[in-house]
Amino acid sequence: MVFGADELRVLRRALAVALRPAPLPDEDVRACLRLAESVDEAEGEADRMRAFLLADLARYRAALPGSVGGYLELLQDALAGGYPPGADDLAALRALRGNTLAAALLERCQVLPAPRTRLVSLPGGRAADEPKQPRQPRPEQPNQPKPSRDPREPRKPGEPARPMPKPSEVFPPRRRPKPPPEERAAG
């Protein structure tokens, strides 16, 4: 959201009054109310634009595979706006895995809805003073990959925590479709 010079002056006066309460002239009160209405209107417009984008995304998803380019571009825009990918998006991206952009978006989307990992305490905190009790093994959950090593164990020197992806792998450059070459009729 961007404010103009007049709106910034009104906002500055409103903040000054909020810090040092004092009676306001009627014109300042009206200016503050107009600014509040403008902010509410801008927020409503942003909500309408978000709803339009999500509806458009659903239309493009329903028209797959014929609308791959438009769908992937809209999905990137939606993700940039904070859209959490749903099961439909993940299924569509899995079906389009042959497309490099779709594959990169699938990796990105799988990270976004992934469940958060459990917090593990580190040695040396308040628990270091308490007597140690044997740990109860967690029940194994089916269909989950087993870690190659226990995450509670400290890493060995030189062992990478996880390979760091390049920015170009996570956010591939957007390529606009090239217009078809113009054909000229001889004659």
Side-chain angles (χ1 to χ4, degrees):
M1 188 177 301
V2 178
F3 291 110
D6 291 335
E7 293 167 328
L8 285 176
R9 278 192 283 278
V10 171
L11 188 58
R12 190 178 306 125
R13 284 195 308 260
L15 290 173
V17 168
L19 292 174
R20 294 190 190 119
L24 282 177
D26 289 341
E27 182 57 34
D28 285 351
V29 171
R30 283 192 289 274
C32 286
L33 290 174
R34 281 192 305 270
L35 178 62
E37 288 173 4
S38 295
V39 169
D40 289 343
E41 185 179 323
E43 186 177 331
E45 182 63 23
D47 290 343
R48 284 190 294 277
M49 289 299 292
R50 191 175 305 109
F52 175 77
L53 175 67
L54 295 181
D56 216 13
L57 184 65
R59 279 193 295 276
Y60 273 81
R61 188 183 325 111
L64 285 173
S67 62
V68 173
Y71 172 71
L72 295 176
E73 188 173 327
L74 283 173
L75 183 59
Q76 281 183 319
D77 292 344
L79 292 173
Y83 169 71
D88 293 340
D89 296 310
L90 293 173
L93 290 172
R94 283 187 193 105
L96 300 170
R97 228 181 296 205
N99 183 311
T100 56
L101 178 57
L105 278 174
L106 177 60
E107 287 181 30
R108 180 177 172 197
C109 289
Q110 285 176 331
V111 170
L112 292 174
R116 303 283 186 230
T117 57
R118 225 171 50 104
L119 291 178
V120 179
S121 63
L122 298 175
R126 287 181 21 194
D129 298 335
E130 297 175 6
K132 295 190 178 195
Q133 297 179 4
R135 287 189 180 172
Q136 298 291 330
R138 287 190 331 191
E140 286 194 30
Q141 297 178 0
N143 300 332
Q144 284 193 343
K146 298 189 191 252
S148 58
R149 64 172 189 82
D150 188 359
R152 294 175 292 221
E153 292 178 10
R155 279 193 329 265
K156 296 175 183 132
E159 179 184 1
R162 187 180 309 165
M164 183 65 68
K166 297 176 189 171
S168 62
E169 293 172 341
V170 179
F171 304 105
R174 284 185 146 173
R175 291 187 175 87
R176 302 231 184 251
K178 294 180 181 176
E182 293 181 19
E183 295 181 18
R184 296 185 183 176

